Short mmCIF file of all heavy atoms in Angstrom, two decimals:
data_model
loop_
_atom_site.label_atom_id
_atom_site.label_comp_id
_atom_site.label_asym_id
_atom_site.label_seq_id
_atom_site.Cartn_x
_atom_site.Cartn_y
_atom_site.Cartn_z
N GLY A 1 67.97 -84.46 145.44
CA GLY A 1 68.95 -85.13 144.60
C GLY A 1 69.27 -84.35 143.35
O GLY A 1 68.81 -83.23 143.15
N GLU A 2 70.08 -84.97 142.51
CA GLU A 2 70.49 -84.35 141.26
C GLU A 2 70.54 -85.39 140.17
O GLU A 2 70.60 -86.59 140.46
CB GLU A 2 71.84 -83.66 141.42
CG GLU A 2 72.95 -84.53 141.98
CD GLU A 2 73.89 -85.08 140.93
OE1 GLU A 2 73.81 -84.70 139.74
OE2 GLU A 2 74.73 -85.89 141.29
N CYS A 3 70.47 -84.93 138.94
CA CYS A 3 70.55 -85.85 137.81
C CYS A 3 71.07 -85.12 136.59
O CYS A 3 71.16 -83.89 136.56
CB CYS A 3 69.20 -86.50 137.52
SG CYS A 3 67.99 -85.37 136.81
N GLN A 4 71.38 -85.92 135.59
CA GLN A 4 71.83 -85.39 134.31
C GLN A 4 70.93 -86.00 133.24
O GLN A 4 70.63 -87.19 133.28
CB GLN A 4 73.28 -85.78 134.08
CG GLN A 4 74.03 -84.80 133.24
CD GLN A 4 75.52 -85.07 133.27
OE1 GLN A 4 76.05 -85.58 134.25
NE2 GLN A 4 76.19 -84.70 132.21
N TYR A 5 70.48 -85.17 132.31
CA TYR A 5 69.58 -85.62 131.26
C TYR A 5 69.93 -84.90 129.98
O TYR A 5 69.87 -83.67 129.93
CB TYR A 5 68.13 -85.34 131.68
CG TYR A 5 67.07 -85.89 130.77
CD1 TYR A 5 66.84 -87.26 130.70
CD2 TYR A 5 66.31 -85.05 129.97
CE1 TYR A 5 65.87 -87.77 129.86
CE2 TYR A 5 65.33 -85.55 129.13
CZ TYR A 5 65.12 -86.92 129.08
OH TYR A 5 64.16 -87.42 128.25
N PHE A 6 70.30 -85.65 128.95
CA PHE A 6 70.72 -85.08 127.67
C PHE A 6 71.75 -83.97 127.83
O PHE A 6 71.64 -82.90 127.24
CB PHE A 6 69.51 -84.58 126.87
CG PHE A 6 68.69 -85.67 126.27
CD1 PHE A 6 67.46 -86.00 126.81
CD2 PHE A 6 69.14 -86.39 125.18
CE1 PHE A 6 66.69 -87.02 126.27
CE2 PHE A 6 68.38 -87.41 124.62
CZ PHE A 6 67.17 -87.73 125.18
N GLY A 7 72.73 -84.21 128.68
CA GLY A 7 73.81 -83.25 128.87
C GLY A 7 73.49 -82.09 129.78
O GLY A 7 74.34 -81.26 130.06
N GLN A 8 72.26 -82.00 130.25
CA GLN A 8 71.86 -80.95 131.18
C GLN A 8 71.89 -81.50 132.60
O GLN A 8 71.52 -82.65 132.83
CB GLN A 8 70.46 -80.43 130.87
CG GLN A 8 70.34 -79.73 129.54
CD GLN A 8 71.07 -78.40 129.53
OE1 GLN A 8 70.99 -77.62 130.48
NE2 GLN A 8 71.80 -78.14 128.46
N ARG A 9 72.31 -80.69 133.54
CA ARG A 9 72.37 -81.12 134.94
C ARG A 9 71.27 -80.39 135.72
O ARG A 9 71.02 -79.22 135.49
CB ARG A 9 73.74 -80.80 135.53
CG ARG A 9 73.97 -81.49 136.86
CD ARG A 9 75.39 -81.27 137.32
NE ARG A 9 76.35 -82.18 136.71
CZ ARG A 9 76.71 -83.34 137.23
NH1 ARG A 9 76.17 -83.74 138.36
NH2 ARG A 9 77.60 -84.09 136.65
N PHE A 10 70.63 -81.14 136.63
CA PHE A 10 69.52 -80.63 137.42
C PHE A 10 69.72 -80.94 138.89
O PHE A 10 70.34 -81.94 139.24
CB PHE A 10 68.20 -81.28 136.98
CG PHE A 10 67.85 -81.07 135.53
CD1 PHE A 10 68.32 -81.92 134.55
CD2 PHE A 10 67.05 -80.00 135.16
CE1 PHE A 10 67.99 -81.73 133.23
CE2 PHE A 10 66.71 -79.80 133.84
CZ PHE A 10 67.18 -80.67 132.87
N ILE A 11 69.14 -80.10 139.73
CA ILE A 11 69.10 -80.34 141.17
C ILE A 11 67.64 -80.17 141.60
O ILE A 11 66.95 -79.28 141.11
CB ILE A 11 70.05 -79.36 141.93
CG1 ILE A 11 70.01 -79.60 143.43
CG2 ILE A 11 69.74 -77.92 141.59
CD1 ILE A 11 71.03 -78.78 144.21
N ALA A 12 67.18 -81.04 142.49
CA ALA A 12 65.79 -80.99 142.95
C ALA A 12 65.74 -80.74 144.45
O ALA A 12 66.52 -81.32 145.21
CB ALA A 12 65.08 -82.31 142.63
N MET A 13 64.83 -79.84 144.84
CA MET A 13 64.66 -79.51 146.25
C MET A 13 63.22 -79.09 146.50
O MET A 13 62.45 -78.92 145.55
CB MET A 13 65.64 -78.41 146.66
CG MET A 13 65.43 -77.10 145.93
SD MET A 13 66.82 -75.99 146.09
CE MET A 13 67.72 -76.44 144.62
N ASP A 14 62.87 -78.93 147.77
CA ASP A 14 61.52 -78.49 148.11
C ASP A 14 61.23 -77.10 147.59
O ASP A 14 62.10 -76.22 147.62
CB ASP A 14 61.34 -78.46 149.64
CG ASP A 14 61.03 -79.81 150.23
OD1 ASP A 14 60.77 -80.76 149.46
OD2 ASP A 14 61.05 -79.93 151.46
N TYR A 15 60.01 -76.90 147.15
CA TYR A 15 59.51 -75.56 146.84
C TYR A 15 59.17 -74.90 148.16
O TYR A 15 58.53 -75.50 149.03
CB TYR A 15 58.27 -75.66 145.95
CG TYR A 15 57.54 -74.34 145.81
CD1 TYR A 15 58.10 -73.31 145.04
CD2 TYR A 15 56.33 -74.13 146.44
CE1 TYR A 15 57.44 -72.10 144.91
CE2 TYR A 15 55.67 -72.92 146.31
CZ TYR A 15 56.23 -71.91 145.55
OH TYR A 15 55.58 -70.71 145.42
N ILE A 16 59.61 -73.66 148.34
CA ILE A 16 59.34 -72.93 149.58
C ILE A 16 58.35 -71.81 149.29
O ILE A 16 58.70 -70.81 148.67
CB ILE A 16 60.65 -72.32 150.17
CG1 ILE A 16 61.72 -73.37 150.34
CG2 ILE A 16 60.35 -71.58 151.46
CD1 ILE A 16 61.39 -74.48 151.31
N PRO A 17 57.08 -71.98 149.70
CA PRO A 17 56.12 -70.89 149.50
C PRO A 17 56.51 -69.70 150.38
O PRO A 17 56.87 -69.87 151.54
CB PRO A 17 54.78 -71.47 149.97
CG PRO A 17 55.02 -72.91 150.23
CD PRO A 17 56.48 -73.14 150.34
N GLY A 18 56.48 -68.55 149.82
CA GLY A 18 56.83 -67.33 150.54
C GLY A 18 57.28 -66.27 149.57
O GLY A 18 56.94 -66.31 148.39
N LYS A 19 58.05 -65.33 150.08
CA LYS A 19 58.52 -64.24 149.22
C LYS A 19 59.97 -63.91 149.58
O LYS A 19 60.43 -64.21 150.68
CB LYS A 19 57.64 -63.01 149.38
CG LYS A 19 57.60 -62.46 150.80
CD LYS A 19 56.66 -61.29 150.93
CE LYS A 19 56.68 -60.78 152.36
NZ LYS A 19 55.87 -59.62 152.55
N HIS A 20 60.64 -63.32 148.62
CA HIS A 20 62.02 -62.89 148.88
C HIS A 20 61.98 -61.86 150.00
O HIS A 20 61.04 -61.09 150.13
CB HIS A 20 62.66 -62.33 147.61
CG HIS A 20 62.81 -63.37 146.55
ND1 HIS A 20 63.78 -64.35 146.62
CD2 HIS A 20 62.12 -63.60 145.42
CE1 HIS A 20 63.66 -65.13 145.56
NE2 HIS A 20 62.66 -64.71 144.82
N CYS A 21 63.03 -61.86 150.79
CA CYS A 21 62.99 -61.14 152.05
C CYS A 21 64.13 -60.12 152.15
O CYS A 21 65.29 -60.51 152.15
CB CYS A 21 63.09 -62.15 153.19
SG CYS A 21 63.28 -61.43 154.81
N ASP A 22 63.77 -58.85 152.24
CA ASP A 22 64.76 -57.82 152.51
C ASP A 22 64.73 -57.54 154.01
O ASP A 22 63.83 -56.89 154.52
CB ASP A 22 64.45 -56.56 151.72
CG ASP A 22 65.59 -55.55 151.78
OD1 ASP A 22 66.52 -55.74 152.59
OD2 ASP A 22 65.55 -54.57 151.02
N TRP A 23 65.68 -58.09 154.70
CA TRP A 23 65.73 -58.03 156.16
C TRP A 23 66.30 -56.71 156.67
O TRP A 23 66.14 -56.37 157.83
CB TRP A 23 66.58 -59.18 156.70
CG TRP A 23 68.01 -59.06 156.27
CD1 TRP A 23 69.02 -58.44 156.95
CD2 TRP A 23 68.59 -59.52 155.05
NE1 TRP A 23 70.17 -58.49 156.23
CE2 TRP A 23 69.95 -59.16 155.06
CE3 TRP A 23 68.08 -60.20 153.96
CZ2 TRP A 23 70.81 -59.45 154.00
CZ3 TRP A 23 68.94 -60.51 152.91
CH2 TRP A 23 70.28 -60.13 152.94
N ARG A 24 66.99 -55.97 155.80
CA ARG A 24 67.66 -54.74 156.23
C ARG A 24 66.65 -53.75 156.77
O ARG A 24 65.62 -53.49 156.17
CB ARG A 24 68.43 -54.14 155.06
CG ARG A 24 69.52 -55.08 154.54
CD ARG A 24 70.09 -54.63 153.25
NE ARG A 24 69.06 -54.76 152.20
CZ ARG A 24 69.30 -54.66 150.92
NH1 ARG A 24 70.51 -54.42 150.50
NH2 ARG A 24 68.33 -54.79 150.05
N GLY A 25 66.92 -53.23 157.95
CA GLY A 25 66.01 -52.28 158.58
C GLY A 25 64.90 -52.93 159.38
O GLY A 25 64.05 -52.25 159.92
N ASN A 26 64.91 -54.27 159.46
CA ASN A 26 63.89 -54.98 160.22
C ASN A 26 64.60 -55.87 161.24
O ASN A 26 65.16 -56.90 160.90
CB ASN A 26 63.03 -55.82 159.28
CG ASN A 26 61.88 -56.51 159.99
OD1 ASN A 26 62.05 -57.05 161.08
ND2 ASN A 26 60.73 -56.51 159.36
N SER A 27 64.61 -55.46 162.49
CA SER A 27 65.38 -56.16 163.52
C SER A 27 64.92 -57.60 163.73
O SER A 27 65.75 -58.49 163.97
CB SER A 27 65.37 -55.39 164.84
OG SER A 27 64.06 -55.27 165.34
N GLU A 28 63.62 -57.86 163.63
CA GLU A 28 63.12 -59.23 163.81
C GLU A 28 63.63 -60.15 162.71
O GLU A 28 64.09 -61.26 162.96
CB GLU A 28 61.59 -59.24 163.85
CG GLU A 28 61.02 -60.63 164.08
CD GLU A 28 59.50 -60.64 164.07
OE1 GLU A 28 58.87 -59.61 164.35
OE2 GLU A 28 58.95 -61.71 163.76
N LEU A 29 63.55 -59.68 161.46
CA LEU A 29 64.06 -60.48 160.34
C LEU A 29 65.58 -60.63 160.39
O LEU A 29 66.10 -61.69 160.06
CB LEU A 29 63.62 -59.88 159.01
CG LEU A 29 62.13 -59.92 158.71
CD1 LEU A 29 61.83 -59.21 157.39
CD2 LEU A 29 61.63 -61.35 158.68
N THR A 30 66.27 -59.60 160.84
CA THR A 30 67.72 -59.67 160.98
C THR A 30 68.10 -60.75 161.99
O THR A 30 69.03 -61.53 161.77
CB THR A 30 68.31 -58.30 161.40
OG1 THR A 30 67.99 -57.35 160.38
CG2 THR A 30 69.81 -58.37 161.58
N LYS A 31 67.37 -60.83 163.11
CA LYS A 31 67.63 -61.87 164.11
C LYS A 31 67.41 -63.27 163.53
O LYS A 31 68.20 -64.18 163.76
CB LYS A 31 66.73 -61.69 165.33
CG LYS A 31 67.12 -60.55 166.23
CD LYS A 31 66.13 -60.44 167.39
CE LYS A 31 66.35 -59.15 168.15
NZ LYS A 31 65.33 -58.95 169.20
N LYS A 32 66.34 -63.42 162.76
CA LYS A 32 66.05 -64.72 162.14
C LYS A 32 67.14 -65.09 161.14
O LYS A 32 67.57 -66.25 161.09
CB LYS A 32 64.68 -64.70 161.45
CG LYS A 32 63.54 -64.66 162.42
CD LYS A 32 62.20 -64.64 161.71
CE LYS A 32 61.07 -64.60 162.74
NZ LYS A 32 59.78 -64.80 162.13
N LEU A 33 67.60 -64.12 160.38
CA LEU A 33 68.67 -64.39 159.42
C LEU A 33 69.96 -64.75 160.14
O LEU A 33 70.66 -65.69 159.73
CB LEU A 33 68.88 -63.18 158.50
CG LEU A 33 69.95 -63.37 157.44
CD1 LEU A 33 69.60 -64.52 156.50
CD2 LEU A 33 70.14 -62.07 156.65
N ARG A 34 70.28 -64.06 161.21
CA ARG A 34 71.49 -64.38 161.99
C ARG A 34 71.42 -65.81 162.53
O ARG A 34 72.42 -66.53 162.52
CB ARG A 34 71.67 -63.39 163.14
CG ARG A 34 72.23 -62.08 162.71
CD ARG A 34 72.54 -61.20 163.90
NE ARG A 34 72.99 -59.90 163.45
CZ ARG A 34 72.66 -58.75 164.02
NH1 ARG A 34 71.89 -58.74 165.10
NH2 ARG A 34 73.11 -57.61 163.55
N ARG A 35 70.24 -66.21 163.00
CA ARG A 35 70.09 -67.59 163.48
C ARG A 35 70.32 -68.59 162.36
O ARG A 35 70.96 -69.62 162.55
CB ARG A 35 68.70 -67.80 164.09
CG ARG A 35 68.67 -67.50 165.56
CD ARG A 35 67.32 -67.84 166.18
NE ARG A 35 66.69 -66.54 166.41
CZ ARG A 35 65.43 -66.24 166.19
NH1 ARG A 35 64.61 -67.15 165.75
NH2 ARG A 35 64.96 -65.04 166.42
#
């Protein structure tokens, strides 16, 4: 969901444990990204 508090706007979502992913040059990760 989202809310506004003292003029600031917020959005809330699940925290995703993991790491940023550079898929370039990795065919398995490229397939997952395409999906």
Side-chain angles (χ1 to χ4, degrees):
E2 53 101 6
C3 71
Q4 209 168 332
Y5 186 71
F6 286 105
Q8 295 291 317
R9 193 173 278 268
F10 301 87
I11 180 173
M13 63 195 92
D14 278 350
Y15 169 72
I16 306 297
K19 60 183 181 177
H20 295 286
C21 172
D22 190 350
W23 65 92
R24 299 169 292 192
N26 184 318
S27 61
E28 182 182 334
L29 292 177
T30 299
K31 286 178 191 175
K32 289 180 180 190
L33 182 61
R34 283 187 184 140
R35 270 185 254 138

